[in-house]
Amino acid sequence: MSHGSGLIRTTCSSGGAPGPCQPSEGLLDAVYPRTQGALLKVAQMVTLLIAFICVRSSAPPIDYGAYSFFEVVTICDLIMILIFYLVHLFRFYRVLTCISWPLSELLHYVIGTLLLLIASIVAASKSYNQNGLVAGAVFGFLASFLCLASLWLSYKITYITQTDASA
């Protein structure tokens, strides 16, 4: 008994991809800032910035390497989310067609969320009851949750079973 081969298809529903419901005129997409994907990106950027400021402005940490890692991960993730926000806002995906924007954003969210979660766990375990470091770790966890929510709501994975033609 053959079950057939499977096909996995991923589609992006972040609101920034070109579609029949969006107007094609102009450089700036006036609809995108009000979409669910854009609002999640703004919330992620704000929480990442707060997490970075909390850790950066706290007393000198005991384990400097852990907090340097946290600061690097939060700033890099913030910059990447800002880049993807601007790509969708200014419709750069129409000009730079050599890049698969949904795939690159998917990879960013998977890798960035994993690194942010690891950095938040390390920061929380090394906080030693310093309020700024604890707050930074909490906002890091919140940003991780928002990135997971964005990943969950923006990408749909479909598994389609194909039957053999010879059967």
Side-chain angles (χ1 to χ4, degrees):
M1 178 168 79
S2 174
H3 293 289
S5 61
L7 172 70
I8 297 177
R9 182 182 314 160
T10 61
T11 56
C12 177
S13 62
S14 63
C21 61
Q22 292 183 339
S24 62
E25 296 85 27
L27 177 68
L28 184 67
D29 188 358
V31 177
Y32 180 70
R34 293 186 298 268
T35 63
Q36 184 180 32
L39 294 175
L40 273 171
K41 281 181 179 58
V42 169
Q44 292 162 12
M45 288 187 285
V46 168
T47 54
L48 285 169
L49 184 63
I50 292 172
F52 176 79
I53 290 171
C54 286
V55 169
R56 190 70 178 167
S57 65
S58 64
I62 296 170
D63 189 2
Y64 184 72
Y67 295 106
S68 295
F69 175 65
F70 184 82
E71 290 173 352
V72 167
V73 168
T74 54
I75 286 300
C76 288
D77 209 16
L78 175 82
I79 291 170
M80 287 304 298
I81 292 170
L82 179 64
I83 287 171
F84 283 117
Y85 183 82
L86 294 175
V87 161
H88 289 297
L89 183 66
F90 290 108
R91 299 178 182 173
F92 289 138
Y93 54 83
R94 291 183 179 177
V95 178
L96 299 171
T97 57
C98 60
I99 299 173
S100 174
W101 290 106
L103 180 61
S104 61
E105 195 168 358
L106 174 71
L107 289 175
H108 161 260
Y109 273 122
V110 169
I111 295 168
T113 303
L114 184 64
L115 286 175
L116 188 60
L117 187 61
I118 291 169
S120 298
I121 290 170
V122 169
S125 66
K126 306 263 184 186
S127 65
Y128 303 111
N129 294 326
Q130 294 180 2
N131 294 336
L133 302 178
V134 172
V138 167
F139 278 105
F141 283 121
L142 182 61
S144 298
F145 173 74
L146 289 172
C147 288
L148 280 175
S150 183
L151 185 65
W152 179 262
L153 295 173
S154 297
Y155 296 94
K156 178 181 166 188
I157 299 176
T158 311
Y159 181 76
I160 301 170
T161 304
Q162 297 176 341
T163 58
D164 292 332
S166 61

